[in-house]
Every structure is written in C-alpha cells, then in structure tokens.
Amino acid sequence: MRRWFPARSSPSWRLRGPSSWSIRAQSSVAATPRSRIRRRNTDQIASMASFPLVTSLTRPESNHVSGLCGRDTRMRESTTPPGRLPPRVRIAPSPTGDPHVGTAYIALFNFVFARKYGGRFVLRIEDTDQERSTASSEAAILEALRWLGFEWEEGPDVGGPHGPYRQSERLGIYQAHVQRLLDGGHAYRCFCTRERLDALRREQIEAKASHLGYDGHCRALSPDEGARRAADGEAHVVRLRVPSEGETSFFDHLRQETIGFQNEQIDDQVLVKSDGFPTYHLANVVDDHLMGITHVIRGEEWITSTPKHVLLYRAFGWEEPCFFHLGLLRNTDRSKLSKRKNPVSIFHYRDLGYLPETLLNFMATLGFSMGDDRERFTLDEMITAFEWSKVSAGGPVFDAAKLDAFNGADIRAMDVDTLHRRLLETTLAPERLRALLFHAKERIARLDDVVPYISFAFGAEVDYGPVLDKVKIKKRSRQDVIDVLERFAEEIERDPAARTFEAAALEAFSRGFCERSGWKAKDLFTLLRIAVTGRTAAPPLFDTMAICGKDRCRLRIRDLIGVLGGVADW
RNA sequence: GGCCCCAUGGUCUAGCGGUCAGGACGUUGGCCUCUCACGCCGAAAUCCCGGGUUCGAUUCCCGGUGGGGUCACCA
C-alpha cells in the first residue's frame, strides 16, 4: 500500500527513498522509452521541504502531474489530500437501469471524502444515451441513494449554482464547447458511415491488428469542408484529434503513480454523436470543469479513457482534477460484478431486509480499512478516520455471506421495539400488507391462515423440493425449461414497460413472450408461479410477481434454474 | 490479441525491511442449552513464482505468471 507520505518516516527512509527514486525515474525516462513511466508524485515529496533538489531532478518538462494536484503546500500531514480544498466531488450515474451497488460503492467514497474535508457532494445525471435513459431509472437511483443515507448539496432534484444537473438539459453548453474544439483544431467532423466503421472493425479483427480503433479517415478533411457538409445536413459525428505521437499520462492519486499511454494507443474518440448528443467523455469533462469538480473519484474501468479526458482538459486549457480510480466490485469468480451472476440492484438489498447502514458499512470494508482491527463502524466514524492511504486499489469480491453476518449481528443488537418499528416500516409496511391481504382474503377461511398464506412474499429462496415434480411440463425437456426461464429473465430486463414490474405490464410482456417463444401461456405461467412462489397455487401470477418484487423474482428464478441444473433429466 | 490496473488463508483486509504474519466472514472442534440460533473457547488455512537491492525481504526494484479492466455514435 502506498501512502501520501510516510506516516512514521525514519531518517534512513528520508535519505534513501526519494533520492533513489529520483535517480531511477530520471534514468528510466531517458534510457527506456517505455509506454508506462512510473514515478512518485515528486511534488508531494518535495513539499516535505527536506529535498529542495528533488523537484528539479525528477520533474521533466513533460511532467503532466500538474493542475490542481501536487502543488499543494499544505501537504504536511499524512491525512492531507492533494488538490484544491475543500473538495467538490460528484457521483454521476447513468439512468439506464436499476440502481447499482457499484454506484453506491463509488458514491460512498466520494461522499465520505467530501464530508471529511468539508466539501460538497454533487449528483449529476449522465443521460446522454437517449436510447436507454429513462426517468423512472433516474428516480430509482435517487431513491436508492437516499435510502442508503447519502445527501447531495447539488443535484437535479435539489438544484444548485452549477445546474442544470441533468446532461440532457445542457446540450447548448456542449455545443458551444465543441465549437471551441473544432475551431482550435482539437476535434474534427467525421462523416464515416456505420457500415464503413463496421467493415473497418471486421478487417482489424481479421488482421489481428494490435489495437482496434478508428483509422483517421476523416482527419484530413479541411474544417471548411467539414463545416459545409455539416451545414448541408450530412450525418456526422465529431471526434477528438488525438496526437499521433508522444504519450499522455496522468497521476492516479489512489495508486500514487503516474499512468501513461502511448498516444498511438488512444482512439480518436467520438465526442458528439450523430444525434447531436455528447458522449460521456465530452460531457463529463465539460461538466466537471464547469461544476468545479476538484477530485474525480470513479471506478477503474475508466482508467483507459482518462488520457482522452486529459487531452480534453488541455485542449480547453483547463486545470485537471485529481484522479482516483477505485477497484471494481467483483463476482465470486472475480469478474466485474454483474447482474447475471449476482444481485446488483440496491433495491434487492433493501427489499430483502438489509439495513442501509449495514450495507454501507459492509461496502466500506471492501475497499477501506480503519487501520486497526475494527470493521464494524458507522459512516461518521468512517468519515473521521478516512484518508486515502487507507483505501486499497484491488478489486474486492462482494461476499454476500459476510454481508449476512454483519446484518444478522446488527439485527441482534437492536432492541425489540426498534426491530418492530423498522419491520413495520419496510417488510410489513401497511401498503404492502394491504396489497397481500387483498388477494389473501379470497383464499383463507381463518384470519390466522393469512400469515402462512402470504409467506411467499417474504424471504429470499424458497424450497422447491415439494413442487419439483410440477415443473415437468408436458412435451418439454428439462433443458427447455431451463432455457425458457433464462430467456424470460433476460428479456424482461430489456423491456422498458415490463421492467417496471407492474402487473399489467408484466402480463402484456409475458403473453408477447409466449408468442415469440412458442410456449403455451398455461405452461409458462405455471413454471413462473412455481419459480416465484415455490407453490402451484397462489394469487394471480402477475400480481404475485409485482408484490414479490423484481429482485425477489429474479433471485428465485435464478435459484430454480440452479436447482434444475442439478436434477435428473425427465 | 494490444494497452492498462491489481496481487497477504476460500473471501475482505492489517502489515510500510527483522512480527510466533493480526482481525473479520466462511469452514471446523468443543462449551453453553429442552432444540435451533445467539454467545464463549479452540483449530485448520495465507505472504503467486523467479531474479535483484540489502546483513536481512511478505514489505523496495525488475521480470514472469495469474486475475481483472478496456479497446462503441454505452456510460
């Protein structure tokens, strides 16, 4: 683990550390023109004031470690972060699906950092993908983040001095900025068709090209011709003109290292799509600058596009923020956390009865440690103890069993009155209970039967043992059943209406699905009823699914698929 | 495949040149107890490999290996 500054620096470290580094960095730059040149943030070391020489030794002219970062002379304590303080940070989710735990994870570090140093936490909606962005997704994300306890000083719902905070409402701003890039020669219009790009891509893959990317076909177009053709209404995009030689690097403040890329590795990124909307890269840089963001704290999936962002900051003549790239949350198989393999919706955790403060604590331990043996701590305690040297850069596996252990311990620690109250607010909320009673009353003879009757609407997995025989659908093989469940689960996510999980939309979707797949409604619905409830008898299927909720249904369908996978063929 | 990131028990981590490598989850043995759960006590299990630097590397450097990310008019 690297540090800002040696917490207990011994005289020998002081003598050896920086000086040996400076020599190495210097010679490696000169002798080996490798794409990746690592060096310490020498400014920080220099600011220890013990090595006036270090700066001149290790700071080549091309040092890109500049901007907001590294020049901070307040860098005297190990806990003082780089960059301008108080910080302004942001979480910038894309409203294209369910609120993701990865978003919450990144939000946590942004939020804690802002709170620790008296900064501001901004929420910005990155809805530049017209195809996939939805208002309901945006609302869900805000709801989920609030449930977890995050509060933002600026955002689409609370306003703020740098609004609007929804990128789709900032189109004019991007247009003006693109014109600046065009005028400065930092960007150019590209009229290549989808077909040409596809063909190019295929060629590159077939030729096993070392790196795929745009071939610069339109780079040579004169700005005048580009402008003329654009004025004629010809469809086009705007691309970033990346220098063909040299390297672009940035300092990653979490890793405490410079990360460099050969420019030839960097694609001429599209900045404006043919629909006139900016891509993430452009909008993100423009907005971060205009909103005064000082520290960009995001997932490491962004590392490879950071040089494009850096190039944009320079093209505009703007100071760069400090970059921190956090490790990605992983599935048990270590791939990037995905809903195919894991519940990733924040609502899943909410609706199955995880306590928000516990989920937050658990996520915190994934990338942060107190430094001592404590791992049960509150948000406030984390804020108090927070410093970047306590954050690890590896990608942690999201261990659901440990989350369960934390949650169980916290439930035990509650007094019964508190537990009772919280249960009434969530799992047994009046509206939810009422919805269940609406269906239960038709089917019970004694009031007391209501609890066993509605039990399917609670808990995670159900026991398929007693009903396993019933999923043997006539003329359908075991594999047919597995396939149709998988396909159903997959397609429902893509259906904009069905994924709201309202009964009517679910029914419409499911009937359409039957037509497409050739399954009889009766057979499919039986299957789904068993998957979702573990029973052959329940209230009307789509009401049942709606009450159980998307995440519970998803979990159980997946669970049944798993059970079927281990069962003998029929 | 190119580029980039990461690397301490199965999992999350502490560790900042000399430690019996600490904690947590999980696994496991026992105690407690009408059962289960909780709780308590104990156990097994880790420094990816190879070079280098050093009197001494889990720790610093390089290389390899492994894992991950990224190569879209998605973010």
Side-chain angles (χ1 to χ4, degrees), chain A residues 41 43-44 59-75 81-85 249-251 253 289 293-295 310 313-314 317-323:
Chain A
N41 182 345
D43 297 40
Q44 295 177 5
R59 204 159 161 219
E61 289 312 302
S62 63
N63 191 348
H64 301 313
V65 184
S66 59
L68 294 169
C69 316
R71 292 211 178 121
D72 198 314
T73 51
R74 288 167 296 188
M75 193 80 52
R84 191 203 302 152
L85 296 180
S249 57
F250 66 93
F251 193 78
H253 286 267
H289 173 74
I293 300 302
T294 56
H295 302 257
V310 168
Y313 280 105
R314 290 193 201 143
W318 293 337
E319 271 185 322
E320 298 161 29
C322 293
F323 294 103

Side-chain angles (χ1 to χ4, degrees), chain A residues 402-515:
Chain A
K402 189 164 180 173
L403 208 210
D404 279 348
F406 276 24
N407 208 242
D410 287 347
I411 289 172
R412 255 170 263 130
M414 271 181 215
D415 60 75
V416 181
D417 287 337
T418 305
L419 177 60
H420 179 70
R421 179 177 54 75
R422 290 185 76 148
L423 207 58
L424 256 25
E425 289 166 359
T426 55
T427 308
L428 295 175
E431 323 80 75
R432 180 156 199 261
L433 204 48
R434 191 176 180 285
L436 282 161
L437 292 181
F438 179 81
H439 295 291
K441 72 186 259 284
E442 304 298 329
R443 297 169 171 81
I444 55 169
R446 296 167 295 258
L447 294 181
D448 198 41
D449 285 339
V450 79
V451 169
Y453 186 78
I454 64 176
S455 65
F456 64 82
F458 303 90
E461 293 87 358
V462 292
D463 179 15
Y464 294 114
V467 290
L468 215 44
D469 260 5
K470 309 293 188 186
V471 298
K472 296 180 180 176
I473 306 293
K474 241 181 287 175
K475 297 190 199 158
R476 298 288 186 179
S477 70
R478 183 188 63 141
Q479 194 58 47
D480 287 342
V481 170
I482 292 174
D483 290 346
V484 78
L485 287 173
E486 279 178 346
R487 193 174 148 197
F488 183 88
E490 207 172 293
E491 287 190 20
I492 203 166
E493 302 287 349
R494 292 202 294 261
D495 188 285
R499 69 182 181 202
T500 63
F501 246 67
E502 280 152 21
L506 281 171
E507 175 156 12
F509 166 82
S510 300
R511 294 199 183 277
F513 179 88
C514 285
E515 278 176 35

